[in-house]
Amino acid sequence: MEHARQRQGQGANPRGLKLTDILVTIVIAVVFGIIYKIWGPMYDVVKPLGTHAEQTIYGMWFLAGTFAFLVIRKPGVALLAEIAAASISALLGSEWGLSTLYYGALQGLGAEIVFAIFLYRYANVWVTSLAALGAAAGSLVLDFGYGYIESLSTWNYTLLIGFRALGSIVIAGVFASALSKALELTGVTKALRPASQADYDALNRA
């Protein structure tokens, strides 16, 4: 515990992305880009189940950004992961075409802003869920821009946002946190995090 305090006090904080961080982020993005492509048809499968039922699974498209940050915990990771995953999905023939890249960028930015507000120091399920909501907000901006939801009634609009928010929290917040914790048990993630973050985690556990 004392050792952790000493190292934390030295101000060691290598926050910049290293080549290893970028490569790991890209690998994560490739995996999720493939998942995004597979997940696309699920949107239409769930849709007939009820009004805006498809919004409950929308959070899957935010998972790359939140999960990648939980693994690496450095600035820019959430944004990079979302853009890269969207790019892979688009290359694989996403039914939404080039707009997939725009969504990836704004969703990643939304998550990135939330992590930045907390100075990239906190990655618990609450902050991750807020980041998921940030990504959802980014997606809604483009939905408005493309005119997908501007003609909805107040009730339908409220239901759509509510279901999307709920799905985002469950999938890109709670599930992302659980998935990262499972990965942490292997010890893989420790080597990928900044020294000060590793010390901060150790201090909290002590």
Side-chain angles (χ1 to χ4, degrees):
M1 178 173 168
E2 183 62 30
H3 178 65
R5 283 201 186 98
Q6 289 174 354
R7 288 189 59 190
Q8 194 174 14
Q10 291 172 358
N13 189 20
R15 286 293 189 180
L17 287 177
K18 298 181 295 186
L19 179 59
T20 302
D21 301 323
I22 295 173
L23 291 177
V24 171
T25 301
I26 295 301
V27 170
I28 292 173
V30 168
V31 172
F32 280 105
I34 295 172
I35 292 174
Y36 286 179
K37 172 57 182 172
I38 297 172
W39 197 253
M42 288 295 298
Y43 196 74
D44 293 324
V45 170
V46 177
K47 203 168 186 177
L49 298 181
T51 304
H52 301 308
E54 73 283 354
Q55 299 300 317
T56 59
I57 66 168
Y58 204 104
M60 178 60 74
W61 284 293
F62 312 147
L63 189 54
T66 55
F67 177 72
F69 174 78
L70 291 175
V71 171
I72 300 175
R73 305 201 186 173
K74 287 188 177 181
V77 168
L79 178 59
L80 174 60
E82 272 295 307
I83 292 176
S87 299
I88 296 298
S89 179
L91 288 173
L92 291 176
S94 170
E95 50 267 57
W96 293 286
L98 190 60
S99 67
T100 303
L101 301 180
Y102 304 146
Y103 274 94
L106 278 188
Q107 289 164 187
L109 181 60
E112 191 73 37
I113 288 172
V114 172
F115 289 129
I117 289 173
F118 289 92
L119 305 178
Y120 301 101
R121 294 295 302 274
Y122 301 95
N124 55 47
V125 67
W126 304 107
V127 173
T128 306
S129 295
L130 287 175
L133 289 175
S139 70
L140 286 168
V141 169
L142 274 180
D143 280 354
F144 271 116
Y146 282 115
Y148 294 154
I149 58 177
E150 63 181 9
S151 60
L152 294 179
S153 65
T154 301
W155 165 246
N156 276 324
Y157 179 59
T158 302
L159 193 63
L160 182 147
I161 291 180
F163 279 167
R164 186 175 301 189
L166 177 62
S168 301
I169 291 172
V170 171
I171 299 176
V174 177
F175 178 68
S177 294
L179 192 60
S180 71
K181 288 183 185 301
L183 188 61
E184 282 179 6
L185 294 177
T186 67
V188 172
T189 58
K190 187 175 181 180
L192 297 172
R193 292 175 185 166
S196 59
Q197 180 64 51
D199 289 341
Y200 182 76
D201 292 343
L203 185 60
N204 281 343
R205 289 194 297 269

